[in-house]
Amino acid sequence: MIIQHEEFKQKNRTSLPTTLQEATDYLILFAREQNLSAEDLEQRLNRIYQEYEQTSTYWQTTEELVYGAKVAWRNSVNCIGRIGWQSLTVRDLRHLTTAEDIFVAIVEHIKAATNQGKIRPTISIFAPQKPGEEGIRIWNPQFIRYAGYRQSDGTVIGDPDQLELTEICQRMGWKGSGSRFDILPMIIKSPKQPPKLFDLPKEVVMEVPITHPDYSWFADLGLKWHALPAVSDWRLEIGDISYPASPFNGWYMSAEIGVRNFSDAHRYNMLPVVAEKMDLNTDSKISLWKDRALVELNIAVLHSFAEHGVKIVDHHTASKQFMQHWEKEEKYNRIVPADWGRTISPISPSTTEVFHQPMRNVCLKPNFFPQPIPWHNKINLSSLAQPIMSCPFHHHLNS
């Protein structure tokens, strides 16, 4: 089949299988934005069509993969930090399929992306899902998460958001120290293999102790947080090719830590503790004790990350950068799809520019998509694999 130009695609696309429709759509976008000639586009699409006829799928070139990952970030409706979408470092790791090799690559991702605090936006893309088969899954929602331990009285030590994953790790033989900030091991499942568990080397995980510029007692709270936010359980889709293991990171907006992780009542719930230390009247709503404690928590986070040389952005700067991104995209006649409720800051949203910006929550592709929780998907928890507690990364370095 010969594809000569976009009008031909629009006329005939309904007669194509979905994969070829979406491949055609993406290749036209890729050709337009990367200045490919009509002849190159036609030849590439013909090769894809021939490959699809033989295999019911196709293999994207590294250039197509790299640009597709960047555009997926550009199209992500949940992200306020898309101004840097073109700077994304894309690691083409589609040749890796075993849990051991994937874990080694994850450790390398953490080291390179953390970059001693000078965070680099990075994505590692592992083998695509084959038609009709399961794909690679990383069970952790992020590379670095803190365990949550349920106590006999119903309270939780650590992060209540990770109770289920912590219990899964324990069933696989992992034993944490029981502290509030135990780093969970990684669970990786390759197709047709049981899930395997790996301990992250402590030296690759950069953490920031939280102190306050004005309150010396803040250090006594014993708070800390990891420097690198790397989402690992979403699926990347480019031209109808699905990459269920495609972990990516940017850097933190301070409110993600100070408002959500530390302050949400179902997370670390630190507002009552901070308010008490500040001698605020927590019996009165009109004292605005929650608001005042929330601001100081966020000041502490920004102060601490800056003191330790770790890149982070406040919500006002993030909002300004998003609007700059919006203006740039308008010059290219591209819309900026966005979920308003997820784009605005969870702290003082009406003081930021994005609060007043009408947004269109539409799904453009390429994009990232959430996936079902893997241990909810017909997994027999009683038959989970025993943990691999030795670090294949160190073995790899020494071999």
Side-chain angles (χ1 to χ4, degrees):
M1 184 181 295
I2 303 296
I3 296 293
Q4 296 181 345
H5 42 62
E6 188 166 354
E7 288 77 11
F8 185 96
K9 182 266 295 188
Q10 294 294 345
K11 181 179 178 181
N12 294 276
R13 73 187 310 278
T14 55
S15 64
L16 298 173
T18 299
T19 296
L20 293 184
Q21 289 182 32
E22 299 210 11
T24 302
D25 288 346
Y26 172 60
L27 262 294
I28 287 173
L29 179 148
F30 177 76
R32 182 173 63 245
E33 298 189 4
Q34 295 294 289
N35 298 317
L36 266 65
S37 68
E39 181 180 1
D40 288 340
L41 173 62
E42 179 181 327
Q43 291 176 356
R44 176 60 182 140
L45 284 172
N46 285 330
R47 289 195 296 270
I48 287 175
Y49 284 21
Q50 292 168 7
E51 186 178 353
Y52 179 83
E53 287 179 1
Q54 297 171 359
T55 65
S56 298
T57 186
Y58 69 100
W59 189 264
Q60 291 168 332
T61 67
T62 296
E63 292 76 17
E64 291 162 3
L65 184 77
V66 168
Y67 196 68
K70 293 180 179 182
V71 174
W73 184 13
R74 187 178 81 193
N75 288 337
S76 180
V77 298
N78 299 330
C79 182
I80 194 175
R82 285 176 268 171
I83 192 170
W85 67 273
Q86 291 173 303
S87 67
L88 180 66
T89 297
V90 182
R91 304 172 74 220
D92 183 355
L93 302 173
R94 290 175 290 175
H95 59 288
L96 302 181
T97 57
T98 69
E100 290 81 4
D101 287 345
I102 291 167
F103 178 70
V104 169
I106 286 172
V107 173
E108 292 169 345
H109 179 140
I110 293 172
K111 290 179 66 176
T114 302
N115 192 29
Q116 299 180 318
K118 300 175 180 65
I119 309 294
R120 296 181 178 128
T122 304
I123 183 169
S124 295
I125 306 175
F126 299 104
Q129 186 171 2
K130 295 180 180 178
E133 298 183 15
E134 65 176 348
I136 301 165
R137 286 299 306 272
I138 299 169
W139 285 21
N140 308 59
Q142 291 193 24
F143 283 164
I144 306 161
R145 292 279 81 174
Y146 296 116
Y149 304 100
R150 194 186 304 276
Q151 306 300 295
S152 57
D153 62 357
T155 60
V156 175
I157 294 176
D159 190 349
D161 207 39
Q162 303 305 319
L163 278 171
E164 271 195 308
L165 184 57
T166 302
E167 291 170 2
I168 295 291
C169 293
Q170 289 172 327
R171 292 189 191 192
M172 296 178 71
W174 178 75
K175 292 183 173 69
S177 68
S179 80
R180 290 193 297 165
F181 297 100
D182 286 353
I183 296 171
L184 284 167
M186 305 267 333
I187 301 177
I188 302 169
K189 187 180 185 309
S190 296
K192 301 178 183 178
Q193 296 293 322
K196 296 181 180 180
L197 183 146
F198 304 87
D199 261 341
L200 283 169
K202 292 182 180 179
E203 64 270 20
V204 305
V205 179
M206 188 177 188
E207 296 178 285
V208 178
I210 305 300
T211 60
H212 194 283
D214 301 320
Y215 298 129
S216 59
W217 49 260
F218 222 98
D220 299 331
L221 299 178
L223 298 177
K224 62 180 177 178
W225 206 256
H226 53 88
L228 187 74
V231 176
S232 51
D233 63 347
W234 281 51
R235 175 179 66 86
L236 170 65
E237 185 180 314
I238 304 170
D240 205 44
I241 302 299
S242 179
Y243 301 94
S246 49
F248 59 92
N249 73 273
W251 50 79
Y252 271 117
M253 183 171 75
S254 56
E256 295 176 271
I257 303 171
V259 178
R260 305 308 310 277
N261 300 335
F262 284 157
S263 299
D264 279 354
H266 63 281
R267 298 293 299 284
Y268 279 83
N269 195 26
M270 291 302 300
L271 290 184
V273 177
V274 172
E276 182 181 356
K277 289 285 190 179
M278 292 175 64
D279 291 325
L280 301 179
N281 180 6
T282 58
D283 293 327
S284 170
K285 288 184 174 60
I286 64 173
S287 71
L288 300 182
W289 65 269
K290 288 185 179 181
D291 308 74
R292 295 166 68 185
L294 191 68
V295 168
E296 298 305 330
L297 259 170
N298 280 270
I299 289 173
V301 169
L302 286 165
H303 163 78
S304 303
F305 271 62
E307 268 211 334
H308 288 81
V310 178
K311 187 165 186 175
I312 196 169
V313 64
D314 65 273
H315 53 290
H316 295 290
T317 301
S319 172
K320 181 179 180 180
Q321 290 173 344
F322 182 80
M323 296 310 300
Q324 290 171 344
H325 168 67
W326 191 291
E327 292 170 4
K328 287 182 179 179
E329 291 298 291
E330 282 187 331
K331 292 179 181 178
Y332 290 99
N333 294 316
R334 294 194 292 250
I335 70 167
V336 179
D339 182 337
W340 184 86
R342 292 182 178 272
T343 303
I344 63 170
S345 167
I347 181 173
S348 307
S350 64
T351 65
T352 64
E353 297 169 82
V354 294
F355 182 86
H356 307 281
Q357 175 64 53
M359 300 177 189
R360 294 172 60 187
N361 187 2
V362 295
C363 179
L364 302 181
K365 293 182 179 181
N367 216 319
F368 295 98
F369 297 92
Q371 302 184 92
I373 296 175
W375 58 85
H376 290 178
N377 188 27
K378 301 179 182 178
I379 295 292
N380 182 2
L381 297 181
S382 64
S383 63
L384 289 175
Q386 290 301 306
I388 299 175
M389 300 310 291
S390 61
C391 175
F393 179 73
H394 290 144
H395 174 76
H396 172 75
L397 289 180
N398 296 327
S399 60

